Amino acid sequence: MHQSKPYTKQFFPLLLCLLSVFASVAQEKQPPPDDLKMWFSHPASTWAEALPVGNGRLGAMVFGGVAIERLQLNEESVWTGKPADFVNPEARATLPKVRALLFAGQYAEARDLAQEKMMGDKKIHSTYQTLGDLQLDFGPVTKDITEYRRELDLETAVAKVSYRAGDVTFTREIFSSAPDQALVVRLTASKPGALTFALNMSRPGNKAKLELAGDEIIMSEHVGDGTGVRMVARLKVLQEGGTKNAAGESIRVENADAITLLLTAATDYRGSEQLAMAATQLDSVANKDYEALKKDHIADYQQYFKRVDLHLGTTDAAYFPTDARLVAMQNGNIDPQLVELYYQFGRYLLICSSRPGGLPANLQGIWADGLTPPWSADYHININIQMNYWPAEITNLSEMHMPFLTFLDALRPDARKTARDMYGIKGTVAHFTTDPWLFTETYGEPRWAMWPMGMAWSAQHLWEHYLFTEDKAYLKELAYPVMKEAAEFCANWLVENPDTKQLVSGPSISPENTFKTEDGEVATMVMGPTMDHMIIRDLLSNTIAASRELNRDAAFRRRLEKILTRLAPTKIGSDGRIMEWTEEFEENEPGHRHISHLFALHPGRQITKQQHPELMEAARKTIDYRLSQGGGHTGWSRAWIINFFARLQDGEAAYENLLALLRKSTLPNLFDTHPPFQIDGNFGATAGITEMLMQSHAGEIQLLPALPAAWQQGYIQGIVARGGFEVDIDWEAGKLKQVKILSKLGNPCQVRYGDQVVTLKTEKGKSYVLDGNLKQL
Ligand code: FUC
């Protein structure tokens, strides 16, 4: 068969030549395709080439092999470990000592003390893991394989594999249905009786129990050698024609006309009764025919996906397989439709990895192979999981934000306990990372672990969801109580700097960066890293606003207002950059991937052009310097940079970094790579592209704030602005042509395009159309 490898750089001249030949032929015959399909002319030879499907909870990576089809499976709650307490019992008494050492500039001593007496001892290792593999073994390939195609249609969330073997065309369709909570695989052939293969299930480690029961294979395991969840996956084979035999632990199908495979899975993460769900769900889906399952899946998925449409132009590159387009782009080819595809892939991934009622999308969404994924595929809350949710509101996927928001609520009991036991104060605290076992205490080395802002940063999302939806019941019942307790911690945590008399946060770090002390030692902790104060300012301001909305807690509000007046401000250093720490320390890694001290520019709202031009200028210098020192080398860092430049209203720099992300930090299946694969960059870039076209963080809807020259003409429809507005923007020759604003809540609406500003009074449910001069039509 033609198992062509992905194109390499050596083949680029050939590729270009092919491109031009193909393009001229294509131009004569048909317009270039402008669909939202990722496709490949070969099966995946590595995991990073496989295609993800998911229903928020149950996912698969589709390899599309001809001899062997591998579907690597995931279920969001397949976790080893269990809840554990590991606060260092000496932390509370040590806190004032570490603070005193840091105020005295004794950084090394402070670090050693914090390492010994403040870091917890996390004894139980916990990690996300694969659910296992479903394998379809078709036997050796004896016929010529032609017309091979493997695709993922982002418009339907259906993956498809098709090829001809001799004179028979084989087709597989794979999707993960949210309404039916099952993974569905449909195999057909152009001739009756052509389907013969064996079905196996397996799990790395070979500890899973496999049972055959009639037309079902049941795979179960108590994962992590009995320390984690109990999981079960059940596969049912529905056959049309031919025969079926059980052979050892596999099922062999012979001469079938068509086959539907149904797979359900569950764990006891939410209770042991959940395990039975896999069986009841399987029985109920087995009663539905394939077309009905597919129809319901597509309708459910499209109610979210179809809300946003982006068009940046199409070139002949769109005729080519996705991996070839990516390589061509890496070699300088212009392919705006690939940016569109990448953008919509980000939205696709959020719909497929984060559904209401489920767990939040982890470092890999829900897609992770093996038993030891990088960083345990956990919830790093010093940027990564927050970044996963940056596109949620603005790209009209507000519902998909909920798993993260409810997760924060679930963290509260432990976060309250950690604040009390570790620091002796009221409120809620979390550190750099957590997982579905909801721990909030910290462990490891102070250079990443001594950072008590995980809850405070995450709480921003609770308020943001309100700004977009103005759902008062949600604010009252879910958001405000979580925000209030996080703010309470911060209010109790801040201490006065004896020299400046300002309130500072510490001991803490600027995630996960280091500096050099005067005697050349590498240090991390200070009293008052800039990012902490930016996060605390954001949280306290949001909590004040929320308490006003709800007309509650006036005394607490006044307390927070007072704290804000004393909180150490953002400072600009002698070189014009925003200071990352209290002093102008020599940077140990000037191109560090975290750019924490620009939190106030993005995702915060404190640095805006109208209010703080001097901080905008300093933010610009900060990021330029980071980049000049090799910054942006991880996918997520690059994605953040796109958002920064969008907020700085520099379309060219935002675009350059978007290209860099696609060129240097994107895998053949368009997954973001740290390296290795980490999904935050996909989500961060999707947010960044939206921010290039529209922003609403500064009290107005700003149109095309960072439109690059490369996108001369295009449109985006259905993106969302704070205050409840759905916005469609058309532009031509690099200028606004028309904007349509649907007011969902009836709020007044200030619209800005460049220096032009208009204010509209709006009525709920009505749309307003303005021309390129913001004149109402
Ligand atoms: C943060 C980053 C790392 C990585 C990890 C999962 O701590 O500093 O680069 O992304 O999360």
Side-chain angles (χ1 to χ4, degrees):
M1 67 162 292
H2 316 296
Q3 186 144 339
S4 40
K5 292 240 173 325
Y7 297 90
T8 60
K9 286 187 185 171
Q10 295 96 288
F11 298 137
F12 185 63
L14 174 69
L15 181 70
L16 270 190
C17 170
L18 272 174
L19 193 67
S20 58
V21 171
F22 200 99
S24 57
V25 174
Q27 261 166 9
E28 282 164 29
K29 293 196 168 163
Q30 53 185 309
D34 191 18
D35 57 24
L36 289 172
K37 289 196 180 87
M38 289 166 57
W39 70 275
F40 302 82
S41 57
H42 55 89
S45 53
T46 65
W47 194 87
E49 291 172 29
L51 294 170
V53 295
N55 65 4
R57 183 180 73 85
L58 183 61
M61 293 293 282
V62 180
F63 282 67
V66 171
I68 291 178
E69 169 64 283
R70 178 183 177 209
L71 297 173
Q72 184 268 310
L73 310 167
N74 285 106
E75 199 279 347
E76 66 173 7
S77 61
V78 177
W79 269 83
T80 70
K82 59 182 175 187
D85 282 325
F86 51 92
V87 165
N88 189 319
E90 299 199 74
R92 192 171 163 172
T94 308
L95 177 65
K97 294 178 197 159
V98 173
R99 282 177 168 164
L101 285 170
L102 289 174
F103 277 134
Q106 292 177 265
Y107 303 105
E109 292 82 350
R111 179 201 54 218
D112 293 346
L113 193 59
Q115 177 73 68
E116 195 194 327
K117 297 188 187 273
M118 295 188 80
M119 298 300 104
D121 182 11
K122 188 173 185 291
K123 288 208 174 74
I124 297 169
H125 179 64
S126 44
T127 182
Y128 184 55
Q129 295 189 332
T130 181
L131 177 71
D133 275 9
L134 167 61
Q135 198 169 288
L136 282 59
D137 188 344
F138 297 88
V141 179
T142 52
K143 306 236 168 69
D144 259 4
I145 304 295
T146 55
E147 297 169 38
Y148 182 91
R149 184 178 163 108
R150 179 172 57 100
E151 69 170 42
L152 175 62
D153 186 346
L154 302 184
E155 279 181 295
T156 57
V158 176
K160 193 167 162 185
V161 179
S162 60
Y163 56 88
R164 270 178 88 78
D167 58 353
V168 184
T169 300
F170 291 90
T171 307
R172 288 171 217 155
E173 288 186 330
I174 304 107
F175 59 87
S176 181
S177 160
D180 288 299
Q181 286 297 310
L183 183 80
V184 183
V185 183
R186 171 81 173 163
L187 295 104
T188 52
S190 61
K191 288 208 168 145
L195 284 164
T196 294
F197 60 95
L199 278 154
N200 299 294
M201 291 188 77
S202 61
R203 190 161 194 272
N206 292 322
K207 289 182 180 146
K209 182 172 154 211
L210 287 160
E211 295 162 77
L212 245 72
D215 55 2
E216 283 188 35
I217 303 179
I218 304 160
M219 178 168 73
S220 56
E221 188 175 334
H222 192 170
V223 308
D225 292 322
T227 64
V229 299
R230 289 174 204 276
M231 51 145 270
V232 63
R234 302 179 81 106
L235 174 77
K236 198 179 194 70
V237 185
L238 302 177
Q239 182 163 358
E240 291 158 44
T243 58
K244 179 163 53 198
N245 297 301
E249 287 174 343
S250 60
I251 292 180
R252 187 162 174 80
V253 169
E254 288 194 26
N255 306 322
D257 304 331
I259 298 278
T260 303
L261 304 176
L262 303 171
L263 185 131
T264 58
T267 75
D268 64 355
Y269 174 70
R270 291 193 170 84
S272 52
E273 70 287 353
Q274 294 289 314
L275 290 170
M277 293 273 287
T280 48
Q281 267 155 5
L282 194 57
D283 290 344
S284 93
V285 272
N287 286 327
K288 240 166 132 169
D289 72 33
Y290 175 73
E291 287 310 322
L293 289 167
K294 186 172 163 189
K295 192 168 147 263
D296 290 353
H297 156 69
I298 293 175
D300 169 78
Y301 167 77
Q302 289 190 338
Q303 64 176 311
Y304 305 112
F305 185 77
K306 288 263 179 190
R307 291 173 185 173
V308 170
D309 196 6
L310 171 67
H311 183 79
L312 299 170
T314 305
T315 67
D316 293 325
Y319 281 108
F320 283 78
T322 307
D323 49 352
R325 290 169 72 181
L326 195 62
V327 173
M329 197 177 220
Q330 283 157 3
N331 285 280
N333 195 43
I334 299 295
D335 188 352
Q337 208 267 340
L338 188 63
V339 173
E340 241 171 88
L341 198 64
Y342 187 82
Y343 178 81
Q344 292 289 20
F345 186 50
R347 296 186 63 249
Y348 168 86
L349 291 173
L350 195 64
I351 303 169
C352 296
S353 64
S354 184
R355 289 287 190 114
L359 285 166
N362 65 38
L363 286 173
Q364 300 197 182
I366 50 170
W367 301 277
D369 197 10
L371 303 180
T372 54
W375 287 283
S376 307
D378 68 4
Y379 300 126
H380 266 60
I381 42 175
N382 65 5
I383 175 127
N384 315 88
I385 301 312
Q386 289 92 340
M387 185 179 280
N388 283 2
Y389 288 93
W390 290 350
E393 301 294 337
I394 54 181
T395 77
N396 217 334
L397 297 174
S398 191
E399 297 90 333
M400 280 65 206
H401 210 169
M402 292 317 289
F404 183 42
L405 306 179
T406 51
F407 179 76
L408 297 174
D409 186 40
L411 275 181
R412 274 163 86 205
D414 197 77
R416 207 176 283 145
K417 200 165 155 301
T418 300
R420 185 193 67 203
D421 296 351
M422 196 173 161
Y423 303 118
I425 57 184
K426 271 183 83 179
T428 51
V429 65
H431 295 82
F432 72 107
T433 196
T434 183
D435 70 15
W437 304 118
L438 308 170
F439 71 87
T440 52
E441 52 271 74
T442 198
Y443 68 101
E445 292 177 33
R447 72 191 157 101
W448 66 76
M450 192 55 251
W451 186 73
M453 290 291 120
M455 184 57 114
W457 181 344
S458 302
Q460 181 190 50
H461 285 252
L462 292 154
W463 179 241
E464 286 285 340
H465 181 75
Y466 178 73
L467 291 180
F468 283 87
T469 60
E470 295 192 2
D471 179 345
K472 271 247 168 85
Y474 150 85
L475 184 66
K476 186 166 161 236
E477 277 141 38
L478 179 71
Y480 181 69
V482 187
M483 292 167 67
K484 187 184 166 192
E485 273 198 286
E488 198 171 12
F489 172 82
C490 294
N492 296 331
W493 166 252
L494 292 166
V495 288
E496 190 180 270
N497 178 318
D499 293 338
T500 64
K501 308 291 176 217
Q502 286 162 345
L503 294 178
V504 292
S505 161
S508 189
I509 56 165
S510 189
E512 303 175 9
N513 206 357
T514 51
F515 58 89
K516 285 194 186 141
T517 63
E518 269 171 20
D519 38 19
E521 268 213 68
V522 175
T524 58
M525 289 189 307
V526 292
M527 288 305 295
T530 301
M531 181 191 229
D532 282 21
H533 301 157
M534 289 174 166
I535 290 174
I536 293 171
R537 188 167 287 113
D538 187 87
L539 172 61
L540 267 49
S541 313
N542 294 345
T543 309
I544 290 167
S547 84
R548 278 218 182 88
E549 286 290 293
L550 297 171
N551 199 14
R552 259 161 74 164
D553 300 325
F556 182 60
R557 180 161 71 231
R558 277 194 295 278
R559 182 174 167 218
L560 298 186
E561 279 164 350
K562 206 158 157 216
I563 288 171
L564 280 178
T565 64
R566 298 191 56 209
L567 185 62
T570 301
K571 286 196 289 188
I572 299 175
S574 57
D575 55 7
R577 291 186 288 147
I578 291 184
M579 283 170 61
E580 183 159 1
W581 297 281
T582 44
E583 288 167 54
E584 290 188 65
F585 295 118
E586 185 189 336
E587 289 160 274
N588 187 43
E589 247 187 273
H592 199 267
R593 60 194 183 284
H594 286 262
I595 312 162
S596 307
H597 47 322
L598 293 193
F599 173 91
L601 178 67
H602 184 277
R605 291 174 279 124
Q606 294 152 33
I607 301 182
T608 61
K609 195 176 169 191
Q610 263 71 33
Q611 290 202 327
H612 290 292
E614 75 298 348
L615 288 175
M616 286 286 268
E617 186 56 37
R620 169 90 217 194
K621 285 194 178 135
T622 307
I623 187 166
D624 281 349
Y625 184 72
R626 262 299 206 269
L627 280 169
S628 74
Q629 301 296 308
H633 50 278
T634 69
W636 65 258
S637 178
R638 184 72 72 184
W640 200 0
I641 292 168
I642 300 168
N643 287 275
F644 287 141
F645 279 121
R647 289 274 170 104
L648 288 169
Q649 305 182 14
D650 184 337
E652 297 317 310
Y655 181 65
E656 242 172 63
N657 283 280
L658 175 59
L659 289 186
L661 182 76
L662 284 158
R663 288 176 175 152
K664 298 182 192 165
S665 302
T666 302
L667 296 166
N669 62 0
L670 299 191
F671 269 163
D672 167 71
T673 181
H674 184 289
F677 164 50
Q678 203 169 283
I679 207 162
D680 43 12
N682 285 101
F683 293 132
T686 295
I689 294 166
T690 317
E691 291 269 333
M692 288 166 77
L693 301 174
M694 198 260 296
Q695 293 169 20
S696 67
H697 61 286
E700 56 186 16
I701 297 178
Q702 184 166 10
L703 306 170
L704 306 177
L707 186 69
W711 299 344
Q712 280 296 301
Q713 190 166 330
Y715 60 81
I716 189 154
Q717 293 173 351
I719 51 176
V720 185
R722 290 166 185 81
F725 302 101
E726 232 172 76
V727 184
D728 300 350
I729 309 169
D730 273 81
W731 66 94
E732 213 171 59
K735 297 222 154 40
L736 176 70
K737 191 176 160 208
Q738 187 174 297
V739 59
K740 183 168 149 214
I741 300 174
L742 165 67
S743 173
K744 295 206 283 190
L745 303 168
N747 283 317
C749 170
Q750 182 164 310
V751 186
R752 171 183 292 274
Y753 176 56
D755 291 330
Q756 306 171 65
V757 181
V758 296
T759 304
L760 307 171
K761 277 192 194 141
T762 76
E763 267 177 59
K764 195 172 168 166
K766 282 208 171 160
S767 287
Y768 302 82
V769 182
L770 312 179
D771 68 10
N773 298 311
L774 300 188
K775 247 185 77 201
Q776 204 167 324
L777 299 176

